[in-house]
Amino acid sequence: VGDGEAETGPLAASWHSNKFLDPVHDGAVLPILHLNGYKIANPAVLARLPEEELVQLFDGYGYHPVLVSGDEPASMHRKMAAALDQALDEIAAIQSAARAAARDGRAFERRRWPMIILRSPKGWTGPKEVDGLPVEGTWRSHQVPLSEVRNNPEHLAQLEAWLRSYRPDELFDDEGRPVAELLASAPQGERRMSANPHANGGLLLRPLTLPDFRDYAAPVGEPGTTATEPTRLLGAFLRDVMRANPSNFRIMGADETASNRLQDVFEATDRVFLGERYPTDVHQAAHGRVMEVLSEHLCQGWLEGYLLTGRHGLFNSYEAFIHIVDAMFNQHAKWLNVTRGLPWRRPIASLNYLLSSHVWRQDHNGFTHQDPGFLDVVMNKKPEIVRVYLPPDANTLLSVGDHCLRSRDYVNVIVAGKQPALNWLSMDAAIAHCTRGIGIWEWASTDEGADPDVVLACAGDIPTLETLAAAALLRDLFPELRVRVVNVVDLMRLQPDSEHPHGLPDRDFDTLFTTDKPVIFAFHGYPYLVHRLTYRRNGHHNLHVRGYKEEGTTTTPFDMVMLNDLDRFHLVMDVIDRVPTLGGRVAHIRQRMADERLRLRIHTREHGEDAPEIRDWTWPR
C-alpha cells in the first residue's frame, strides 16, 4: 500500500486483519507498508517517525516488522527478496504450529504475524531534478514529474533518458516481445498472478447450502394481529446457514450482531478472536465465523476480500453508520460494473448489507443514529448492480434474505427493523409479494377492484404500519371512500423498466397507482428519493411523499414519526387535503386529527412512552 493511502481509515483498520485470522483454517495476509515519504503535496506522517518509534507502533499492533530500506536498486532487490523469504517462513511456521496444536487438542497461543516496512525514495529511479528543482525523493515526483514533454525539448530528453535507464533493449527483442530469459522466469499456469484462481474468486465459488427459509416463518392467521422481531427470525435462518456452510460463509459487523437480533447464530459459531480470552468472555473463539470489530471500514474490507476469493457473507450494521463505508461501497459497485464486461471474470457472491437499528426505532439513541441516506448513495450506482429491499415484516424479510444469499454480482441492501413488529403476510403471501416486488394489499384496501379515490403507498416497516393504521382510520371516518393500499418491497420497481431491470413498465405502474388520483406515499427514507425514481411517471404530479425530514431526537417510536409528519393522523390529513370529493365535514375531521397528534405528543412528554392505543395497536379488521 502506497503512502497516498497511508492515513486513510481502511488502511489503518487493515493492520488488524491478521488478528482475526485463524491460522488453522484461514489463509494469511502479508501487509507491506511502502513508506516513500510523501503524499501528493505533504509528508507522510509514518515516514517521519524515527525508525524505533515506527517499529514500536507496529509491534504494538501485534506484528513483527521486517524492515527493508535503501535507495540502491540492486541491493534493495536482494533485501526485499530476503525479507519476503523471512516473512513467508514465519507465516508457514505459525500455520504449522497452529495446525499441530489443533491435531493434538492443545490451545494455540496467538503469534506475531510478520509485516514488511519498505522505505524507498518517492519517484525512485526517476528524474533527480527537473528545471533545477529536486524531484526524486520529494513530493514533486507525484503523478507527472515531466509535464511539458510535448513542447519542451529538455523535458523530452529527460523522459527518453529516464525510460532508457530501464534498459529495454535487454528485455525485449527487435519486435517488442519479451526475451526468452525473461519469459522463462515467469510463473506458469495458475501460479501466474493474473491466473491465480484466488484473484478470480468466481472460479472457486461454491453455492451455499441453504435451509428452507419457509421453515422459519412467523405464523400469521389474520394480518396485523401478532408481532415478531423480524431480524430475530432471520438470525435463526442464518444460524442454520452457518451450520450448513462451515467453511465458506461469514457474518461481519461492527460489534452489533446481537444488538441487531441475530444472536441465534452464536448457537452455531462464535466470534473469531485470537487474543487473550477471559472467563467472562462470551462466544469468543479462535475458530469463530462471526467477525466483529468496531470499524465499519474493516468489516467492509473483510467482506469484499472474502467475496472476491470465492466465498459468501453478510455485513450487518446500524443503518446510520453504514455511511462510514460509502466510498468503499462505491468502489466495489464500480468494480462489479466493469467486470461484467470481462468474459473471463466469473461471477462472485453478492455483497449483502443488512441495515437494522434503523432511523425510526432509535428509542434510546437519538438524532445521531437516525439517517436513512445510504439508500440515496446506493441508488446512484449502475442499475444492473444495485438492489434495495424494504421488507415490511418478518416473513418478507426471510424471503428477501434467501433471495439475496443466492444472488451473484450484485450489491443488495436490506433494511429491516429489529423491534417487535406486526406480521402482515403469511409465508405464501410474503413469497408472492416479494416475487412481485410491489403490489396491492387487497385485504387492507376498500376500492373493491374499482378505480380508487386515493392510493396509500408505503415502503418500509414503520411506514407500512402507519399507512395501514391510516387506512383503518379512513374506513371509519369515510366509509364511502375507495382506498387502495400499495406496498413496495423492491424499491427499484418504482423506476421505469427502461431505467432498471426491476423497473415496472408504465402501463403496470399506471394500473397500480392510477394517472389521475392522489397518491400519498409513506417512505422509509428521505422523500426526495421516491420523487427521483418516479419523476417520469404519468401521475407524478399527484404523488405526495412523506418520509424522514431530518427531525429526530431520543424519543418514543410514535413521537418520532410525528416529528417527521409520517404518522397515521397526518396521512389522513393528507388524504383530506388531496381528495376533493369528501364533502363539507372534512374540516371537523381534519381538526380532530390535528388534535389527536397534539394529545399523543403531550402523552409522550408526560409518560415517556407512547399511549397504549398506539403502542398496542393491531389491524382491526
Side-chain angles (χ1 to χ4, degrees), residues 36 95 101 135 155 419 431 498 596 598 614:
N36 58 24
Q95 292 179 318
V135 173
H155 280 203
Q419 305 290 352
I431 294 171
S498 61
E596 279 295 283
L598 179 60
I614 299 295

Side-chain angles (χ1 to χ4, degrees), residues 4-52:
E5 295 91 17
E7 293 173 60
T8 63
L11 178 61
S14 76
W15 296 124
H16 297 281
S17 294
N18 278 342
K19 289 190 176 183
F20 294 85
L21 288 176
D22 174 6
V24 177
H25 300 102
D26 296 332
V29 178
L30 174 59
I32 300 178
L33 174 62
H34 185 194
L35 289 180
N36 58 24
Y38 295 90
K39 302 186 289 295
I40 295 176
N42 290 283
V45 172
L46 295 183
R48 294 294 175 92
L49 289 181
E51 186 171 287
E52 181 181 4

Side-chain angles (χ1 to χ4, degrees), residues 67-249:
L67 276 67
V68 177
S69 180
D71 60 8
E72 204 286 313
S75 65
M76 284 289 282
H77 286 311
R78 291 191 293 270
K79 290 179 182 179
M80 189 65 180
L84 286 170
D85 285 342
Q86 177 184 341
L88 293 176
D89 287 346
E90 290 182 20
I91 290 172
I94 292 171
Q95 292 179 318
S96 177
R99 290 162 185 167
R103 286 193 301 269
D104 298 339
R106 294 181 285 108
F108 177 73
E109 297 181 2
R110 184 175 67 88
R111 307 290 178 86
R112 293 185 178 276
W113 295 90
M115 66 167 292
I116 294 176
I117 299 177
L118 170 63
R119 287 181 180 270
S120 66
K122 192 172 183 70
W124 192 23
T125 73
K128 296 189 180 301
E129 287 188 2
V130 175
D131 298 333
L133 295 173
V135 173
E136 185 186 61
T138 77
W139 56 271
R140 291 188 182 89
S141 62
H142 195 89
Q143 296 179 342
V144 185
L146 291 166
S147 59
E148 300 178 11
V149 294
R150 292 179 181 274
N151 51 29
N152 185 324
E154 184 178 341
H155 280 203
L156 181 61
Q158 281 187 282
L159 176 61
E160 181 176 0
W162 176 12
L163 296 179
R164 288 190 182 279
S165 73
Y166 298 120
R167 304 196 300 274
D169 53 304
E170 298 178 15
L171 302 175
F172 302 95
D173 63 20
D174 293 340
E175 296 182 3
R177 292 175 300 200
V179 297
E181 182 181 3
L182 188 62
L183 289 174
S185 67
Q188 301 296 314
E190 291 186 351
R191 304 306 295 176
R192 294 172 295 160
M193 186 180 295
S194 61
N196 188 319
H198 294 283
N200 188 359
L203 296 173
L204 304 174
L205 186 68
R206 303 192 315 272
L208 288 173
T209 300
L210 293 176
D212 190 339
F213 67 93
R214 300 169 185 83
D215 295 341
Y216 306 84
V220 178
E222 295 296 322
T225 56
T226 60
T228 303
E229 294 173 327
T231 54
R232 187 177 292 274
L233 291 193
L234 182 68
F237 172 69
L238 293 173
R239 172 199 62 206
D240 295 338
V241 173
M242 282 281 193
R243 286 173 173 163
N245 303 273
S247 63
N248 65 334
F249 181 77

Side-chain angles (χ1 to χ4, degrees), residues 9 28 58 67 102-103 106 110 122 178 200 216 236 240 267 346 374 384 454 458 467 475 494 556 567 584 590:
F58 287 99
L67 276 67
R103 286 193 301 269
R106 294 181 285 108
R110 184 175 67 88
K122 192 172 183 70
N200 188 359
Y216 306 84
D240 295 338
E267 297 174 18
R346 307 311 304 150
F374 189 65
E384 293 81 7
V454 64
C458 48
T467 294
R475 286 191 183 196
L494 295 178
T556 67
D567 61 279
R590 195 184 194 286

Side-chain angles (χ1 to χ4, degrees), residues 310-424:
R311 282 77 69 87
H312 306 254
L314 174 74
F315 182 179
N316 79 101
S317 174
Y318 278 23
E319 181 184 45
F321 301 123
I322 199 63
H323 270 304
I324 293 171
V325 300
D326 281 0
M328 297 179 75
F329 150 75
N330 283 339
Q331 295 307 312
H332 188 77
K334 289 176 182 291
W335 184 88
L336 286 174
N337 180 49
V338 171
T339 59
R340 284 180 170 234
L342 304 175
W344 52 268
R345 172 70 69 176
R346 307 311 304 150
I348 61 171
S350 296
L351 196 162
N352 299 308
Y353 294 99
L354 172 65
L355 308 185
S356 194
S357 299
H358 62 53
V359 57
W360 301 108
R361 292 303 306 269
Q362 287 299 328
D363 314 357
H364 307 295
N365 286 312
F367 194 42
T368 58
H369 288 54
Q370 294 160 350
D371 191 318
F374 189 65
L375 302 186
D376 301 72
V377 176
V378 171
M379 293 300 296
N380 289 330
K381 297 299 114 185
K382 269 287 196 181
E384 293 81 7
I385 302 301
V386 293
R387 306 286 186 267
V388 174
Y389 299 100
L390 297 164
D393 69 356
N395 288 340
T396 51
L397 174 59
L398 286 167
S399 180
V400 165
D402 176 83
H403 170 76
C404 291
L405 290 183
R406 295 178 186 274
S407 68
R408 301 286 184 269
D409 272 356
Y410 296 139
V411 175
N412 297 310
V413 180
I414 308 170
V415 183
K418 67 181 185 181
Q419 305 290 352
L422 292 174
N423 301 311
W424 303 112

Side-chain angles (χ1 to χ4, degrees), residues 577-593:
D577 294 344
R578 303 297 179 184
V579 177
T581 59
L582 290 179
R585 59 199 175 101
V586 295
H588 301 280
I589 294 175
R590 195 184 194 286
Q591 180 173 297
R592 192 191 314 167
M593 297 297 101

